[in-house]
Amino acid sequence: MADLDDGEDGNDFFRSFADVPLNPPEKRDMCSRCKRPLAVCLCAHFPSHFLQISTTIHVLQHPREESRLLTTVPLLEACLPPDKIVIRRGRRFHKNDWPDLHELLNKPTTLLLYPGPTAENIKTLGEPPLGENYDIIVLDGTWRQAKDIFHNNPFLCQARQVQLEHDHISEYVIRTQPNSKSLCTVEAIALSLSILEKNEEIAEILIRPLRALCKIQLEHGAVVHFNKENEDEIMLRAKRQERSHRKKMGGLSEKER
């Protein structure tokens, strides 16, 4: 507190605080499930019950991604059972600090979802051995941050590396993607699970909250971010994707068919 001037009345000094509100500004009411303000709650877009899956998702999240306002991992947490999505945060995952993660790499059914010249197409994987299920490790962050995690943790190469070969246009339009094949974390996991679990509905169920999140943000002033490749090609593929989705839902007109 600043010292009083020699001629200043102490009572006048403290009286000057009389009009300062004693209570802090009221915070917006928050949803306990999606952790968002009630006015932009996403719970109506989540499944009524956790999806029942056999695969376990292990997310290695870059520390900076957790602090981002619009990170997508919380959408997964709202849709999947707690024991089926494990989140570990850090840049380097040393064995002394993360022994369970290193032990996981010894299992032949552990997959690393990360593109590369030796990565297998996830669609070509067979069934896991009887009585066992797949564990899939996913790196969460920007592409630069994901590369940082991959190169700083060489033990990850012990896992069977797989990648998605797809024609899905990312619906995470409020953040810039490196290219037209890039997906955000929730999309990559959604498509992977739909393949591993042999259930196409999983992808739609998990991507639906992301679609709603982007719609809400755009309605509140966010702008569409195109990726760094040819925008005309992206828009054409997006239209085909939308048409295919509408066809599945029975919403195409005779002319469109």
Side-chain angles (χ1 to χ4, degrees):
M1 181 181 293
D3 293 332
L4 296 178
D5 292 336
D6 291 340
E8 186 176 6
D9 183 357
N11 290 332
D12 289 340
F13 175 79
F14 288 106
R15 196 177 295 118
S16 65
F17 289 93
D19 295 330
V20 177
L22 295 178
N23 297 321
E26 292 186 5
K27 295 182 178 180
R28 290 183 292 178
D29 293 332
M30 305 294 286
C31 174
S32 59
R33 184 181 182 188
C34 69
K35 312 301 182 185
R36 291 172 58 83
L38 291 178
V40 289
C41 175
L42 291 173
C43 290
H45 305 279
F46 293 141
S48 56
H49 303 287
F50 288 137
L51 292 179
Q52 297 304 307
I53 58 175
S54 59
T55 306
T56 301
I57 307 295
H58 301 265
V59 177
L60 304 188
Q61 187 178 67
H62 194 280
R64 292 184 181 177
E65 185 66 18
E66 181 187 8
S67 61
R68 286 183 179 270
L69 181 63
L70 299 174
T71 182
T72 63
V73 167
L75 303 181
L76 291 168
E77 292 180 287
C79 298
L80 301 177
D83 63 329
K84 291 300 181 181
I85 178 164
V86 182
I87 302 172
R88 301 173 175 88
R89 296 181 175 92
R91 291 183 177 86
R92 291 178 173 83
F93 297 87
H94 299 294
K95 189 173 184 178
N96 290 340
D97 299 322
W98 307 92
D100 57 334
L101 176 60
H102 285 256
E103 184 176 348
L104 185 68
L105 269 294
N106 294 325
K107 296 176 57 178
T109 51
T110 296
L111 310 173
L112 173 65
L113 184 63
Y114 191 82
T118 61
E120 304 174 53
N121 184 349
I122 195 170
K123 293 180 180 179
T124 64
L125 296 180
E127 295 282 349
L130 186 64
E132 297 186 31
N133 298 302
Y134 283 119
D135 290 87
I136 184 166
I137 298 172
V138 182
L139 311 184
D140 182 45
T142 65
W143 276 102
R144 180 175 295 180
Q145 291 166 353
K147 290 178 182 178
D148 180 61
I149 294 176
F150 181 75
H151 291 297
N152 286 329
N153 298 276
F155 74 93
L156 291 175
C157 294
Q158 298 174 34
R160 189 176 181 180
Q161 192 172 339
V162 296
Q163 62 186 357
L164 277 167
E165 296 183 10
H166 64 92
D167 195 38
H168 183 87
I169 294 291
S170 177
E171 299 188 49
Y172 195 27
V173 296
I174 52 178
R175 281 178 66 174
T176 303
Q177 303 289 357
N179 56 63
S180 62
K181 290 290 187 179
S182 299
L183 303 173
C184 70
T185 300
V186 68
E187 290 172 312
I189 291 175
L191 295 181
S192 297
L193 281 178
S194 68
I195 294 168
L196 296 177
E197 300 288 326
K198 294 180 170 51
N199 184 350
E200 292 184 359
E201 293 182 1
I202 289 177
E204 172 60 22
I205 292 172
L206 292 181
I207 293 175
R208 186 185 303 136
L210 175 72
R211 191 180 300 130
L213 170 65
C214 293
K215 182 175 183 294
I216 290 172
Q217 293 304 125
L218 292 174
E219 290 174 348
H220 286 75
V223 297
V224 173
H225 288 239
F226 291 101
N227 65 54
K228 300 174 182 177
E229 288 189 342
N230 188 296
E231 295 181 5
D232 292 337
E233 177 190 351
I234 297 165
M235 294 300 292
L236 180 61
R237 289 175 57 201
K239 288 180 180 179
R240 289 201 300 264
Q241 181 173 303
E242 179 183 4
R243 187 175 183 275
S244 175
H245 176 69
R246 289 175 58 198
K247 185 176 181 181
K248 289 180 180 179
M249 302 300 291
L252 285 182
S253 65
E254 291 296 328
K255 182 178 180 180
E256 290 176 308
R257 292 175 185 172

